């Protein structure tokens, strides 16, 4: 799949933003005054900034309101509804806390559940795709949730929770990689079933249907060199998980916390790039490409 | 709306004959032409006369080589357009309701004024049957020429999809696949029509007719005995002439 910057930025930033809002909703911490304003400002900047980036991905952003209508069937529509409902709920909770010093805990809990729902719906957009066997696995939503909550814990200064959740996320990431690498081959779809000619012999492309490129090739066929991908995996794993966990284990100061957060963020960006770039869409079989 | 109907009264679709398709791409051009001048946004091209021309199409013709275990390889031309799936994943993922499947005839369409151009339906289609228009930024797909098949303003003979009407080899057939007595259903039954990627669970309405086995060429040749090879080394005048001519500069060795 084409690793579109807008979608990478969107899933990474709003994942972190909703993760931070989750912990704020639980009241861990429940900051008031200027400190509270700072926390919520960062959370909203990440969550809303990410959503804005995703709007750039649309051909017709001016019709975006229509995307709230089909929540009965569409995960993307559910995500839109969940995101806005959560942001409104948490906005009221934050305003009461920051400006009036009133902590309405149940409202925060509802918001926290909304954060989980938003991240889950985002991940299900990918996990539902039968056409991308690498994504169609429980590890996709599990990893999105663990990364979001772990990153949020890091940002909200919940050291222990961050340590545990980032470790869990690291394990889930390894599961996603090791099982994902062979999932296309195990899916049963190949150029033979794509053309229906597999029973007659070995099928290969003789001539493509068009000489130039097209939407399908640009959007769905993205080939990353194996060696390149492996080294990027090592780097992103180190940045997203290993370094922050080490810092957390050694104890947080202002400076080390900043290093952990920046390292984690850079790592998540790289992980998301790989998430898209390494995902193989079955339409590639029609072009004899992976 | 983006939930799928539980049942459609008809299942209009195409039956594509991989045995007779000659790979001329006439259906590609007929489709592009009709759908640029009629229903919805025109199918745009970018850099049409430049170094990197490309554009949106609703129908494309691939070509494959099939190499059996023994014997000669076979070339198969493979037209591909939307299969108007019964269980269309492209419809249910749509967040706006722009993508829908019609209850009356099963045609899968996009309401272009509702489409936000998110592209998710194209992600969900295993067949690559949907392309984003590069200029209008709305999703384009085969309409089964819905503006021809019911169109009373055109002669009856033309009330079929443009690709079917134009195919010089008669490799594309249009009809109701829900009716077991329709010509297309009969053809599918007779020729062992198949689904593409059945494991994806999309239940395509369109069917593909597999190439027929090639005729076997008989081993013996009735004229054989009369066509024995001419003697390799001649004698007499002809042999002398041959040798002399070959010895000339530039002569055959
Ligand atoms: S072929 Fe693709 S676009 Fe057409 S109905 Fe099936 S899934 Fe949808
Ligand atoms: S591109 Fe248009 S038709 Fe396709 S899912 Fe998005 S809104 Fe629906
Ligand atoms: S039925 Fe019409 S829209 Fe569909 S491929 Fe044929 S010509 Fe194109």
């Amino acid at each position: 799949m084409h690793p579109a910057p807008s979608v990478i930025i969107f899933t990474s930033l709003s994942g972190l933003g909703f993760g931070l809002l989750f912990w704020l909703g639980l009241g861990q911490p429940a900051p008031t005054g200027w400190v509270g304003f700072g926390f919520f400002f960062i959370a909203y900047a990440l969550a809303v900034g990410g959503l804005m980036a995703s709007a750039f991905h649309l051909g017709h952003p001016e019709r975006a309101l229509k995307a709230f209508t089909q929540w009965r069937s569409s995960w993307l529509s559910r995500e839109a509804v969940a995101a806005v409902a959560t942001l409104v709920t948490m906005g009221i909770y934050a305003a009461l806390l920051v400006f009036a010093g009133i902590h309405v805990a149940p409202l925060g809990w509802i918001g926290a559940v909304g954060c989980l729902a938003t991240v889950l719906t985002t991940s299900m957009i990918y996990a539902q795709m039968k056409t991308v066997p690498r994504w169609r696995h429980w590890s996709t939503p599990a990893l999105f949730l663990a990364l979001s909550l772990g990153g949020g814990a890091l940002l909200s200064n919940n050291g222990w929770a961050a340590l545990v959740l980032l470790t869990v996320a690291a394990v889930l990431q390894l599961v996603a990689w090791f099982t994902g690498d062979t999932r296309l081959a195990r899916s049963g779809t190949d150029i033979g079933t794509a053309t229906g000619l597999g029973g007659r012999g070995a099928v290969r492309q003789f001539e493509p249907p068009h000489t130039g490129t097209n939407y399908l090739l640009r959007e769905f066929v993205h080939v990353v060199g194996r060696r390149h991908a492996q080294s990027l995996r090592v780097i992103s794993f180190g940045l997203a998980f290993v370094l922050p966990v080490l810092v957390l284990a050694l104890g947080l100061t202002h400076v080390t916390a900043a290093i952990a957060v920046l390292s984690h963020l850079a790592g998540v960006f790289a992980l998301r790039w790989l998430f898209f770039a390494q995902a193989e869409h079955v339409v590639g079989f029609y072009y004899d490409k992976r | 709306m983006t939930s799928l109907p539980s049942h459609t009264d008809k299942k209009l679709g195409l039956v594509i004959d991989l045995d007779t398709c000659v790979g001329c791409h006439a259906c590609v051009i007929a489709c592009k032409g009709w759908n640029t001048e009629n229903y919805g946004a025109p199918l745009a091209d970018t850099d049409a006369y430049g170094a990197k021309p490309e554009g949106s199409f609703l129908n494309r013709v691939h070509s494959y080589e099939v190499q059996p275990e023994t014997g000669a390889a076979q070339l198969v031309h493979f037209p591909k357009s939307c299969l108007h799936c019964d269980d269309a994943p492209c419809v249910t993922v749509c967040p706006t309701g722009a993508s829908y499947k019609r209850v009356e005839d099963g045609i899968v369409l996009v309401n272009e004024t509702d489409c936000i151009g998110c592209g998710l339906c194209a992600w969900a289609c295993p067949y690559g049957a949907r392309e984003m228009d590069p200029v209008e930024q709305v999703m384009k797909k085969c309409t089964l020429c819905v503006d021809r098949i019911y169109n009373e303003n055109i002669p009856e003979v033309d009330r079929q999809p443009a690709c079917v009407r134009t195919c010089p080899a008669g490799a594309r057939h249009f009809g109701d696949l829900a009716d077991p007595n329709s010509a297309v259903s009969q053809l599918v039954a007779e020729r062992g029509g198949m689904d593409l990627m059945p494991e994806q669970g999309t239940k395509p309405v369109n069917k593909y007719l597999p190439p027929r086995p090639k005729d076997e060429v008989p081993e013996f040749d009735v004229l054989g005995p009369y066509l024995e090879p001419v003697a390799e080394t001649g004698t007499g005048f002809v042999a002398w002439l041959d040798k002399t001519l070959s010895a000339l500069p530039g002569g055959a060795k």
Side-chain angles (χ1 to χ4, degrees):
Chain A
M1 303 288 294
H2 169 60
S6 57
V7 184
I8 294 173
I9 293 172
F10 155 59
T11 57
S12 309
L13 293 189
S14 25
L16 265 184
F18 282 103
L20 176 54
L21 277 182
F22 170 83
W23 293 102
L24 293 171
L26 286 188
Q28 303 284 341
T32 55
W34 279 109
V35 181
F37 183 80
F39 267 110
F40 282 103
F41 180 80
I42 293 173
Y44 271 81
L46 289 169
V48 179
L51 289 173
M52 301 274 278
S54 82
F56 285 117
H57 193 60
L58 300 178
H60 283 276
E62 77 281 7
R63 300 176 188 156
L65 277 183
K66 297 198 175 181
F68 291 88
T69 58
Q70 302 301 312
W71 49 271
R72 280 187 210 82
S73 51
S74 160
W75 282 107
L76 180 52
S77 187
R78 286 173 198 155
E79 181 203 35
V81 172
V84 170
T86 305
L87 288 174
V88 169
T89 311
M90 286 303 289
I92 300 169
Y93 172 79
L96 289 174
L97 191 63
V98 171
F99 299 118
I102 306 170
H103 183 204
V104 191
L107 194 61
W109 299 336
I110 295 173
V113 172
C115 291
L116 291 180
T118 306
V119 177
L120 179 74
T121 49
T122 305
S123 67
M124 285 309 292
I125 294 171
Y126 307 109
Q128 71 176 328
M129 290 289 163
K130 240 185 170 169
T131 49
V132 186
R134 186 185 282 276
W135 291 347
R136 197 174 161 85
H137 194 240
W138 60 264
S139 63
T140 301
L143 183 56
F144 268 66
L145 281 169
L147 271 174
S148 164
L149 297 186
L154 193 62
L155 282 177
S156 58
N157 216 355
N158 284 296
W160 273 105
L163 189 68
V164 173
L165 284 162
L166 288 182
T167 311
V168 170
V171 173
L172 288 168
Q173 181 63 75
L174 292 176
V175 171
W177 279 337
F178 287 117
T179 64
D181 281 347
T182 54
R183 208 167 293 127
L184 179 70
R186 286 181 284 123
S187 71
T189 299
D190 56 24
I191 192 171
T193 66
T195 58
L197 299 168
R200 318 170 76 85
V203 184
R204 69 176 188 98
Q205 176 170 253
F206 178 76
E207 191 178 46
H210 41 93
T211 48
T213 185
N214 72 346
Y215 173 75
L216 300 173
L217 288 173
R218 259 182 288 111
E219 192 78 357
F220 302 119
V221 182
H222 189 91
V223 182
V224 220
R226 226 187 104 74
R227 290 234 327 268
H228 180 62
Q230 292 300 2
S231 45
L232 196 57
R233 276 184 177 183
V234 173
I235 294 170
S236 58
F237 195 83
L239 288 174
F241 306 119
V242 180
L243 190 68
V245 166
L246 277 180
V247 169
L248 286 165
L250 293 175
L252 286 179
T253 68
H254 276 305
V255 178
T256 56
I259 293 174
V261 167
L262 289 178
S263 163
H264 178 71
L265 185 61
V268 169
F269 276 130
L271 288 176
R272 279 296 140 77
W273 188 88
L274 284 167
F275 177 76
F276 288 100
Q278 290 204 294
E280 311 93 340
H281 193 289
V282 295
V283 77
F285 287 123
Y286 285 106
Y287 289 90
D288 215 346
K289 290 193 170 124
R290 302 296 166 268
Chain B
M1 287 307 107
T2 54
S3 295
L4 286 164
S6 56
H7 166 86
T8 62
D9 301 337
K10 285 183 176 180
K11 291 182 187 181
L12 295 187
L14 301 177
V15 171
I16 295 176
D17 192 342
L18 297 180
D19 194 61
T20 41
C21 174
V22 293
C24 69
H25 292 241
C27 56
V28 178
I29 303 306
C31 171
K32 177 95 172 180
W34 178 261
N35 289 289
T36 293
E37 293 152 11
N38 296 280
Y39 180 100
L43 291 169
D45 294 313
T46 54
D47 197 23
Y49 302 101
K52 289 195 176 111
E54 64 169 281
S56 48
F57 286 77
L58 313 182
N59 175 42
R60 305 215 185 230
V61 180
H62 295 248
S63 295
Y64 300 103
E65 181 199 83
V66 187
Q67 176 64 64
E69 294 259 326
T70 55
Q74 196 177 354
L75 184 57
V76 180
H77 299 292
F78 191 97
K80 184 165 60 63
S81 48
C82 170
L83 293 94
H84 297 280
C85 306
D86 249 356
D87 210 339
C90 56
V91 169
T92 49
V93 297
C94 177
T96 62
S99 271
Y100 61 105
K101 185 168 176 74
R102 307 207 317 176
V103 183
E104 60 270 37
D105 51 18
I107 300 180
V108 175
L109 288 175
V110 175
N111 177 350
E112 292 176 2
T113 55
D114 277 356
C115 174
I116 54 173
C118 66
L120 206 61
C121 51
W123 291 27
C125 171
Y127 309 105
R130 292 176 168 242
E131 298 187 19
M132 186 84 76
D133 189 83
V135 172
E136 290 295 324
Q137 294 292 315
V138 292
M139 194 51 75
K140 302 297 295 184
K141 68 174 294 300
C142 161
T143 64
L144 208 60
C145 287
V146 69
D147 49 352
R148 288 176 69 95
I149 57 178
Y150 298 116
N151 191 340
E152 309 222 314
N153 297 320
I154 59 176
E156 201 173 340
V157 63
D158 285 331
R159 287 179 212 157
Q160 18 175 338
C163 55
V164 174
R165 184 78 179 93
T166 211
C167 178
R172 299 176 77 111
H173 306 266
F174 163 72
D176 179 8
L177 287 132
D179 170 9
N181 297 317
S182 67
V184 280
S185 296
Q186 299 281 324
L187 201 54
V188 169
E190 207 176 291
R191 295 273 307 280
M194 58 185 181
D195 288 350
L196 305 184
M197 290 190 195
E199 71 283 358
Q200 283 275 334
T202 54
K203 304 200 194 90
V205 167
N206 286 12
K207 302 283 180 230
Y208 281 76
L209 306 180
R212 294 181 179 94
K214 289 275 178 247
D215 290 341
E216 295 287 331
V217 182
E219 283 292 325
F220 68 93
D221 186 345
V222 284
L223 289 177
Y226 304 104
L227 293 172
E228 287 296 332
V230 182
E232 291 284 308
T233 49
T235 50
F237 175 70
V238 175
W240 172 82
L241 188 63
D242 188 34
K243 229 189 295 172
T244 315
L245 289 176
S246 301
L248 291 174
K253 289 285 177 298

